[in-house]
Amino acid sequence: MRRRPETDLIRLFDAPAPGKMNGGDLTETETEEMEGDVELAIIHEDVVYPEEFLPTYQTINQDAALSRPRLAEFNDKPDSLFFNDGARKIDFILVYEDEDKKEFEKRHAYQRRKRRREYFEASLMKMGLELEATQSVIDDKLMFVKVHMPWDMLCTYAEVLHIKLPIQPNDLSSRPSPWRFFDFITKHFYPNEDLIKKEADYFTAPFEKDRLEFFHIADKDSFFTPSMRSRMAYYLLSRAPYEIRGSVKKFGISKLLDSGVYKAAYPLHDCQFNVRTEDPDCPNERFLLYQEWAHPKSFYKMQPLDLIRKYYGEKIGIYFAWLGFYTIMLTLAAIVGLACFIFGYKTQETSTWSKEVCDPEIGGKIVMCPQCDRECNYWRLNSTCEASKKLCIFDNFGTLVFAVFMSIWVTLFLEFWKRYQAQLEYEWDTVEFLEQEEPSRPEYEAKCIYERKNPITGVKEKVPYTGCGRCVRVSLGIGTVIFWILLILASIVAITVYRLAAFFAFSARLRAQDLKELEPLKEYVTPQMATSVTASLISFVVIMILNILYERVAIWITNFELPRTKTDYENSLTLKMFLFQFVNYYSSCFYIAFFKGKAVGFPGDPVYIMGKYRNEECDPGGCLIELTTQLSIIMGGKAIWNNIQEVLLPWVKNLIFRYCTSATEKIIPRWEQDYRLQPYAKLGLFYEYLEMVIQFGFVTLFVASFPLAPVLALVNNLFEIRVDAWKITTQFRRVVPEKAQDIGAWQPILQGVAILAVATNAMIIAFTSDMIPRLVYYWSFSVFPYGEHAQHTMEGYINSSLSVFNTSDFLEDSRPLGNFTNIPSCRYRDFRFPPGHPRKYEFDMRYWHVIAAKMAFIIVVEHIVYLTKFVLSYVIPDVPYAVREQMKREKYLTQVILHETNLKLVTKRLRPVANDDEIKETQAGLSMEELDPDL
């Protein structure tokens, strides 16, 4: 950015004199509004404009009338992508409602919108864009403004945006795939090559208008793809002014859309998605995407990523590439997880400790202590028989193996994704995207009123806030985020209190002997299970409500912080939303896994929360089954809710809109067909990523308690890919193409989740499951002599894991109601000395054995897994060798082209020199700046 010289005062898009607009007279009211609303639009000395703006703005005489787009009648070509002349392509569509057709009492507000719209359209035309307006064939009030970028403007802004374009065909032969021998099988899982042709492979270089002859231009009309043209058009629409008051400039299509000046702005789909167009000017890419990608019949096929990128842009393409890669990697995890589940299911009947729980002679004779005060009664251990069997499905040695496997899997997934992403970066020409200067957001530029010295360039530039102001904005943002996180934690505390109160009520009700209506289900409906299911449902509802509220808060905070570039904006919003979602979705799971049942005391001295509610205890088999229930409800409910939002709502909206406008028999043009579709939200892709990353957390952080999580995620993702494809191809307007090098801030978030997953799974196995206590019993306390050799066994584990409590030691406030004099003692889950021991109810030696084993397990497993992850990360290179070769070759060719261009420029300057010796002598004396004007 540079400062405008003081002597260069240009009147930019001046408003017409009061009383004159478009050659007509204004009413007295309109004149008064205009005099108070629009000032002379002068570029003042204290206004800083981006460097790339200056060549496009042109001087307009103060009294010149504003230009307006040419009106044209619809030519009855429904799939035309051109102006009425059939030569100029439509790069963007603007839609507004004609204010002149409104009732008189509202004309005052509409006249202001009209002036802003006309000012904006004049700005576009003076910048070089060509406009053509057409009236709607359905609604006379609607007007469609078609935007076209001429060749010269395309070349200019391709250079401004550093768009890479082909210079010559790729002459490096690709290495044969190691899987080529299976092509006769795998070809059926790829899109039809007869329909979707393979793109030609070229070396590319950033476009430069002055070196046009070095680029591979076979046809000017197809040199810039429609997505490139739309991207450049949107770049200009985002920066064209619509009002300038003194030193305050207002510009950008986004603000005009928000204020109702325009009803919509979007690029066009190229044809109907379900009908192939025979028009030679229509590429039918939307039809091909629907047939080979979005159609349900193509669910088993790989995605045509190159065509997705070409049609929707790199940002959409990289999302679907990541989602597809994640889904493929989930296949292996799902197979192993399903095998572990089947192993647990097959062994649930043979598990020794579950047999002891269900045995009438063992579990049927063990009387358990009440788990709440006064209202809860004694209960038999075998009443949890079915829950114990179900727990064996998830709490077995196969789960341990699967948890370690998933820790390695997540490392392989991230490392192989880096390699695949590097390949896509090269193929899609985004390798140096973030290294180039990204333009500032229009919202940022509009508020640049302070001046500071750029620490890198040393040039003074405009910024929207001072250093102190930025600290205030960031501090307020951090404070708001912390407040909402504390609000989530408060909701978790409230749900915990509900769990305690609900368990108290369910225990009093479900333990009653006269509960006849639930007699067939009585062995399944335990107080623990009823409390867990209802609390999980309530937790899910609270999560969904807080999501809706916090979404608006996070956007407001990020807008308040005013990040400079769009990448900074998205990264800031991503971090805030993920922190909130992390606490919102996972806090209840962390509570069940690491806090519930860990500090409960013993029946004679229970621990109370807030001095009133007795702390919740786990089932004798542990809290793992409750964690599994929580995960399954949240994952399943979230998937169902997201599908309703993503599929059903836009489909119903489009259906209602079509029904309301289906009475006409007129031919509807392509731009009006697209207007009837749903607009794609600005942060639509952000929420797609967020949904998948939250799922990734469920799959990795708590997989030790739920080995079916990868299976559910795989099934969901297979639907998710096709649902997202169907949605953006058929139900939404075409997305504005955007450039993206990678998945952005989600990459470090995934890496952080992967690191945390190792610790959480090790701690779940150690502290939530009952595996370590069983192993300690098996190897240390269960040696029975059989003949000459000692044999380890799990027999007697249940009796060993339950301590004895004398019922006479109950406090009056916690003693069960009723006459239970026939029960002298009861059992509870812990390792304590029995009554009558000098250290009764204190922890015994078995407790310290188990604690030591748990800590040793966590340390050993974490170190082994982290070491393996480090070795894998070091061994697997981030960029494939073949891609590195091609990148070096492309860089070399770019340098050669630049060198040849510089030589031509030098030769052109030195034409008067007589001979070659003089030319060489003169060249040697030129400076680097003279050889290359761009330096």
Side-chain angles (χ1 to χ4, degrees), residues 503-557:
F503 180 78
F504 179 87
F506 283 129
S507 295
R509 177 66 173 158
L510 297 180
R511 299 296 184 196
Q513 297 297 324
D514 58 346
L515 192 61
K516 302 297 183 183
E517 62 271 18
L518 289 178
E519 192 64 34
L521 302 175
K522 195 172 181 179
E523 59 181 358
Y524 298 100
V525 185
T526 62
Q528 292 91 345
M529 183 58 66
T531 303
S532 178
V533 171
T534 55
S536 297
L537 291 173
I538 294 174
S539 178
F540 173 72
V541 173
V542 171
I543 286 172
M544 292 295 104
I545 294 174
L546 289 177
N547 275 346
I548 296 173
L549 296 176
Y550 183 76
E551 173 187 327
R552 301 181 180 181
V553 173
I555 294 174
W556 178 84
I557 297 172

Side-chain angles (χ1 to χ4, degrees), residues 593-663:
F594 306 124
F595 295 99
K596 181 182 177 182
K598 301 301 183 290
V600 295
F602 61 96
D605 186 20
V607 175
Y608 291 91
I609 294 179
M610 297 186 294
K612 180 179 180 181
Y613 297 100
R614 180 172 169 176
N615 202 359
E616 195 176 6
E617 298 181 23
C618 291
D619 187 85
C623 288
L624 195 70
I625 191 65
E626 295 187 41
L627 179 58
T628 302
T629 304
Q630 180 84 356
L631 284 171
S632 58
I633 289 178
I634 293 180
M635 281 191 70
K638 184 174 179 292
I640 294 172
W641 176 253
N642 286 334
N643 285 326
I644 291 175
Q645 280 188 314
E646 293 181 8
V647 180
L648 192 59
L649 290 181
W651 180 76
V652 170
K653 289 179 181 178
N654 288 335
L655 188 65
I656 294 173
F657 192 87
R658 284 195 297 269
Y659 177 78
C660 295
T661 59
S662 61

Side-chain angles (χ1 to χ4, degrees), residues 734-750:
R734 190 169 181 175
V735 182
V736 178
E738 293 184 58
K739 201 85 169 176
Q741 184 179 24
D742 48 34
I743 61 175
W746 299 111
Q747 184 80 23
I749 287 176
L750 291 174

Side-chain angles (χ1 to χ4, degrees), residues 662-682:
S662 61
T664 180
E665 297 180 357
K666 298 179 180 179
I667 298 175
I668 302 176
R670 164 56 41 208
W671 48 84
E672 194 154 357
Q673 294 178 44
D674 285 4
Y675 177 69
R676 298 166 73 182
L677 300 176
Q678 293 298 306
Y680 196 78
K682 292 180 181 179

Side-chain angles (χ1 to χ4, degrees), residues 256-545:
L256 294 178
L257 289 170
D258 294 339
S259 61
V261 176
Y262 287 99
K263 297 180 70 67
Y266 51 89
L268 287 180
H269 282 297
D270 62 5
C271 64
Q272 299 182 55
F273 67 87
N274 54 355
V275 178
R276 185 172 188 131
T277 306
E278 300 301 330
D279 187 350
D281 293 326
C282 182
N284 284 292
E285 291 176 351
R286 185 188 185 194
F287 171 80
L288 297 178
L289 285 172
Y290 177 73
Q291 290 296 320
E292 296 296 312
W293 179 47
H295 199 284
K297 70 177 183 180
S298 302
F299 76 95
Y300 62 93
K301 291 185 178 181
M302 303 293 287
Q303 302 181 90
L305 294 176
D306 289 334
L307 184 58
I308 297 171
R309 172 249 181 170
K310 181 182 177 183
Y311 192 77
Y312 291 112
E314 288 78 8
K315 195 167 188 178
I316 295 288
I318 201 73
Y319 163 72
F320 281 104
W322 176 79
L323 181 56
F325 186 84
Y326 172 45
T327 304
I328 291 174
M329 290 293 291
L330 270 177
T331 304
L332 178 60
I335 292 173
V336 179
L338 186 61
C340 291
F341 175 80
I342 294 173
F343 170 78
Y345 184 82
K346 293 293 186 182
T347 58
Q348 64 173 326
E349 299 292 341
T350 60
S351 173
T352 303
W353 70 276
S354 66
K355 283 182 177 180
E356 291 185 349
V357 170
C358 298
D359 191 342
E361 298 299 320
I362 301 177
K365 293 184 177 181
I366 294 178
V367 178
M368 301 296 295
C369 298
Q371 292 183 306
C372 65
D373 295 336
R374 299 183 67 80
E375 295 293 337
C376 295
N377 296 329
Y378 300 98
W379 51 286
R380 301 285 179 179
L381 181 60
N382 65 348
S383 64
T384 62
C385 174
E386 291 300 322
S388 299
K389 289 181 180 179
K390 298 298 179 287
L391 181 62
C392 290
I393 300 176
F394 303 101
D395 192 4
N396 53 67
F397 295 112
T399 304
L400 171 61
V401 175
F402 184 57
V404 175
F405 165 80
M406 286 299 296
S407 300
I408 306 301
W409 173 88
V410 73
T411 303
L412 293 175
F413 163 66
L414 292 176
E415 292 303 318
F416 284 131
W417 165 247
K418 289 180 185 177
R419 289 171 58 84
Y420 186 47
Q421 183 175 254
Q423 181 180 345
L424 291 177
E425 287 177 13
Y426 171 74
E427 293 178 354
W428 293 357
D429 301 319
T430 59
V431 174
E432 298 177 354
F433 172 66
L434 293 180
E435 297 176 5
Q436 299 161 354
E437 184 178 356
E438 187 178 359
S440 302
R441 296 167 59 237
E443 295 84 356
Y444 178 91
E445 294 172 355
K447 296 184 179 180
C448 290
I449 57 176
Y450 300 100
E451 193 175 73
R452 70 152 191 172
K453 185 177 181 181
N454 191 306
I456 299 175
T457 63
V459 178
K460 289 185 178 180
E461 63 181 8
K462 289 288 185 178
V463 293
Y465 36 65
T466 61
C468 182
R470 175 163 178 77
C471 290
V472 171
R473 289 172 180 265
V474 174
S475 300
L476 287 175
I478 294 174
T480 308
V481 171
I482 293 175
F483 168 78
W484 276 86
I485 289 178
L486 292 177
L487 184 63
I488 300 171
L489 296 179
S491 70
I492 298 303
V493 173
I495 293 174
T496 302
V497 172
Y498 163 80
R499 297 176 70 98
L500 301 178
F503 180 78
F504 179 87
F506 283 129
S507 295
R509 177 66 173 158
L510 297 180
R511 299 296 184 196
Q513 297 297 324
D514 58 346
L515 192 61
K516 302 297 183 183
E517 62 271 18
L518 289 178
E519 192 64 34
L521 302 175
K522 195 172 181 179
E523 59 181 358
Y524 298 100
V525 185
T526 62
Q528 292 91 345
M529 183 58 66
T531 303
S532 178
V533 171
T534 55
S536 297
L537 291 173
I538 294 174
S539 178
F540 173 72
V541 173
V542 171
I543 286 172
M544 292 295 104
I545 294 174

Side-chain angles (χ1 to χ4, degrees), residues 822-838:
N822 58 335
I823 303 178
S825 65
C826 60
R827 310 294 293 272
Y828 60 98
R829 179 183 168 85
D830 213 338
F831 299 101
R832 296 177 183 267
F833 289 110
H837 193 278

